């Protein structure tokens, strides 16, 4: 809109990378968020661009959509959805809720599947396979921030072999 700055001071390359002017001459700053406009003109941020992964069939999986839903399972303490762009489905790594220590993986995956179906998720958004980790994710092992937000790259590295195995 009209209130967006002209760009970075004496840095035209960074300005060209970070700003966009639409067909109507409005200037936009590229934040990495995905939004939608409501009929009344309100812009609602609905996702993060970096949290979208395109599967082999062309469908997009949104980590930001699925992970909060999966955390609603009584068996799940925390989770990381992973989608390999060369595959047609996603998988999930979870840490168990403390009171769910004796439940097998198939029961947990069935519960997650039911939660996602009830939320209106489609087939490619529902993880086909699961790994239940005994590692607690936190700032002390650098798998989460102090605010308990996932450090996705660290988690992918930590579970790299398990993620490969989930697709084999």
């Amino acid at each position: 809109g009209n209130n967006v700055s002209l760009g970075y001071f004496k840095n035209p390359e960074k300005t060209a990378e970070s700003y966009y002017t639409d067909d109507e001459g409005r200037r936009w700053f590229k934040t990495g968020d995905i939004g939608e406009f409501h009929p009344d003109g309100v812009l609602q941020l609905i996702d993060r661009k970096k949290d979208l992964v395109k599967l082999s069939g062309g469908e997009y999986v949104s980590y930001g959509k699925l992970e909060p839903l999966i955390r609603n399972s009584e068996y799940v303490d925390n989770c990381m959805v992973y989608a390999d762009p060369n595959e047609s489905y996603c998988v999930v790594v979870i840490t168990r809720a403390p009171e769910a220590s004796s439940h097998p993986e198939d029961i947990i995956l069935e519960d997650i599947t039911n939660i996602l179906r009830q939320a209106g998720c489609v087939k490619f958004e529902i993880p086909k396979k699961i790994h239940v980790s005994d590692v607690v994710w936190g700032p002390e092992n650098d798998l989460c921030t102090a605010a308990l937000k996932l450090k996705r790259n660290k988690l992918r590295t930590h579970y790299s072999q398990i993620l490969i195995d989930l697709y084999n």
Side-chain angles (χ1 to χ4, degrees):
N2 296 331
N3 58 343
V4 177
S5 77
L6 296 177
Y8 289 93
F9 183 69
K10 295 185 179 179
N11 194 340
E13 295 84 20
K14 185 73 172 168
T15 299
E17 175 185 318
S18 301
Y19 290 84
Y20 167 76
T21 303
D22 66 19
D23 296 338
E24 297 175 12
R26 288 181 298 216
R27 192 162 173 82
W28 299 91
F29 181 65
K30 299 177 186 176
T31 64
D33 294 304
I34 295 175
E36 67 181 7
F37 281 102
H38 292 270
D40 63 359
V42 172
L43 173 63
Q44 179 184 5
L45 300 180
I46 58 172
D47 212 336
R48 293 282 302 158
K49 189 173 180 180
K50 69 180 182 178
D51 286 344
L52 291 176
V53 177
K54 188 176 184 179
L55 295 175
S56 63
E59 307 93 346
Y60 285 92
V61 172
S62 169
Y63 298 149
K65 172 185 175 183
L66 300 177
E67 289 170 348
L69 293 170
I70 292 170
R71 284 188 203 100
N72 287 332
S73 169
E74 64 183 300
Y75 306 115
V76 176
D77 183 45
N78 210 340
C79 68
M80 177 191 71
V81 173
Y82 177 76
D84 183 329
N86 299 313
E87 299 289 344
S88 61
Y89 62 95
C90 61
V91 297
V92 65
V93 176
I94 69 146
T95 58
R96 292 180 197 264
E99 58 278 358
S101 62
S102 63
H103 293 84
E105 286 184 3
D106 60 331
I107 298 294
I108 298 170
L109 184 58
E110 183 179 328
D111 187 57
I112 290 169
T113 299
N114 290 335
I115 288 169
L116 294 175
R117 281 189 182 138
Q118 288 173 3
C121 294
V122 292
K123 185 177 178 179
F124 67 85
E125 294 177 303
I126 298 172
K128 282 192 178 180
K129 296 182 182 176
I130 187 173
H131 173 76
V132 179
S133 176
D134 294 326
V135 176
V136 176
W137 302 345
E140 57 281 346
N141 58 13
D142 204 30
L143 297 176
C144 282
T145 66
L148 299 180
K149 292 185 179 180
L150 299 183
K151 289 189 172 181
R152 194 168 301 282
N153 289 335
K154 299 266 185 179
L155 285 163
R156 268 193 293 247
T157 301
H158 184 83
Y159 292 104
S160 61
Q161 187 58 53
I162 288 166
L163 293 171
I164 291 167
D165 294 342
L166 286 171
Y167 281 106
N168 292 330

